[in-house]
Amino acid sequence: YFDVSKPWLNRVIERSEKLTLKAVDGVGFSIRRGETLSLVGESGCGKSTVARLVVGLYGLTRGKLVFDGEDISDLAGRTGRQAASVRKRFQMIFQDPYASLNPLWRVGTIIGEPLRFFRPEMSSTDRRRRVGELLEQVGLSAPDANRYPHEFSGGQRQRISIARALANEPEFMICDEPTSALDVSVQAQILNLMRDLQDEYGLTYLFISHDMAVVKHMSDRIAVMYLGRIAEIAPADQLFENPHHPYSKMLLAAVPSLEGVGKERTVIQGEVPNPVHPPTGCAFHPRCPHANERCKAEVPRLIARSDGSEVACHGVEEGRLP
Ligand code: SF4
Ligand code: MG
């Protein structure tokens, strides 16, 4: 869980005031209850920044954040119970489970921590029972509560962090590259666990990944990000079958099958420009084979198409690209 009153967190928020303005701009999307929306793109495209804005780890400089009808744009600045009422409904799962598990604590203490914070009225017996249940839900066993994080493999540690995330029965999970630090053989197991938990508890996922094979396995809808903006957002099948944006096409050109998860990486022509000084107009224009003068001058807006996708590309809008 996140406790905004911790000084290190306040420092992150302060520092990010400057960063966020540059990192993401004009990103707008909504996530429906029970679905998985994935953010994909190369590193530096702003997908992790969006995740941190959504959970209130970074403050919004402008724009609006609404969760279940409530305006939570001020979440990063909230403290105490006012923050806790929203925050306990969210959980975040990170790429490196080891970094987020206190090595000095037994697993039972780690998983019980959010319960102690959000449900101080729970007795220690009930808490131990709940921790045992959570361990079993993620494919571990109740006695594992007595062991320490270093005694587990990478995949098991990610199961522990998932158990901790589930402790308060969250509705909304933000998963930032949850399997990219894991061995290929373990990735699919963790992804399948996450899908099973979603079905069982009706969880909503914002899923962040640079790996198109992982995203294909997980998503209902996909938002392709490029340099802090959304290039295209579409239902997953639609995007894989018929991507419109030239950048989506490049990303999808070399998607490995799920059996190849993590083995093969999409290779894209050209360098990713510096996100702090993005190119003028369409930020993708230096790498786009279809760029013209308008592309260099004017930022394309996301425009809805009849097939359910939204695309930010002048070429698509003008009908010169399919
Ligand atoms: Fe390419 Fe122009 Fe479309 Fe950008 S707006 S992706 S440069 S065609
Ligand atoms: Mg990232």
Side-chain angles (χ1 to χ4, degrees):
Y1 71 94
F2 301 108
D3 177 1
V4 246
S5 64
K6 284 183 181 163
W8 64 266
L9 200 48
N10 289 332
R11 270 204 304 282
V12 172
I13 292 163
E14 278 162 30
R15 265 194 293 130
S16 67
E17 286 295 319
K18 269 186 242 100
L19 291 173
T20 49
L21 236 181
K22 291 165 183 165
V24 292
D25 195 8
V27 170
F29 58 84
S30 56
I31 308 175
R32 302 175 192 122
R33 195 183 289 272
E35 81 166 344
T36 300
L37 175 74
S38 292
L39 298 180
V40 298
E42 294 155 284
S43 64
C45 73
K47 45 194 201 302
S48 295
T49 305
V50 170
R52 281 158 178 75
L53 283 167
V54 166
V55 291
L57 279 175
Y58 292 171
L60 286 179
T61 43
R62 55 198 163 89
K64 198 167 165 183
L65 206 59
V66 176
F67 176 63
D68 198 14
E70 183 188 353
D71 188 334
I72 57 160
S73 309
D74 63 342
L75 185 62
R78 290 190 192 182
T79 52
R81 289 288 138 197
Q82 203 197 357
S85 67
V86 175
R87 231 169 264 272
K88 72 175 175 193
R89 300 171 70 185
F90 291 4
Q91 280 302 324
M92 193 149 175
I93 299 172
F94 296 96
Q95 175 174 355
D96 179 3
Y98 204 50
S100 62
L101 302 177
N102 187 333
L104 303 177
W105 286 4
R106 290 181 200 273
V107 164
T109 312
I110 290 171
I111 297 173
E113 191 198 16
L115 294 170
R116 274 190 302 280
F117 183 80
F118 287 112
R119 298 196 204 168
E121 75 288 352
M122 195 181 233
S123 74
S124 55
T125 315
D126 285 349
R127 198 165 55 233
R128 259 197 303 279
R129 191 180 317 127
R130 175 82 181 122
V131 166
E133 267 171 30
L134 286 160
L135 281 165
E136 280 162 12
Q137 275 164 9
V138 299
L140 297 170
S141 66
D144 287 330
N146 299 316
R147 299 165 66 196
Y148 289 92
H150 71 85
E151 297 175 56
F152 294 86
S153 68
Q156 288 171 325
R157 290 199 290 258
Q158 196 54 293
R159 288 175 192 269
I160 294 165
S161 59
I162 292 170
R164 179 181 55 183
L166 288 173
N168 278 307
E169 298 164 35
E171 298 156 51
F172 182 40
M173 302 263 259
I174 296 95
C175 317
D176 190 0
E177 304 271 9
T179 62
S180 31
L182 301 175
D183 289 348
V184 175
S185 57
V186 181
Q187 286 198 22
Q189 292 170 22
I190 298 293
L191 294 174
N192 288 335
L193 169 68
M194 293 177 66
R195 284 174 56 146
D196 291 346
L197 293 168
Q198 178 172 42
D199 289 346
E200 200 169 337
Y201 301 105
L203 296 167
T204 305
Y205 286 151
L206 175 60
F207 193 88
I208 292 163
S209 180
H210 66 278
D211 189 321
M212 293 305 285
V214 166
V215 159
K216 188 177 189 180
H217 188 58
M218 292 300 287
S219 316
D220 296 306
R221 289 188 304 138
I222 298 171
V224 177
M225 285 189 69
Y226 189 75
L227 285 183
R229 290 178 176 272
I230 293 179
E232 175 162 7
I233 183 164
D237 298 347
Q238 156 75 28
L239 186 80
F240 277 87
E241 272 159 39
N242 188 18
H244 297 294
H245 197 285
Y247 179 60
S248 309
K249 288 180 184 166
M250 279 190 186
L251 266 186
L252 289 165
V255 180
S257 64
L258 187 64
E259 296 72 54
V261 165
K263 279 182 193 155
E264 214 177 318
R265 297 296 179 200
T266 309
V267 178
I268 299 168
Q269 294 296 310
E271 292 287 304
V272 183
N274 183 344
V276 178
H277 301 290
T280 56
C282 171
F284 190 57
H285 85 252
R287 299 166 82 188
C288 181
H290 312 289
N292 63 15
E293 288 311 310
R294 186 186 175 203
C295 300
K296 291 176 192 165
E298 195 186 318
V299 178
R301 289 185 307 116
L302 267 182
I303 294 175
R305 295 176 56 87
S306 56
D307 60 11
S309 61
E310 290 174 66
V311 185
C313 170
H314 297 311
V316 172
E317 188 204 340
E318 291 160 4
R320 40 184 192 92
L321 298 177

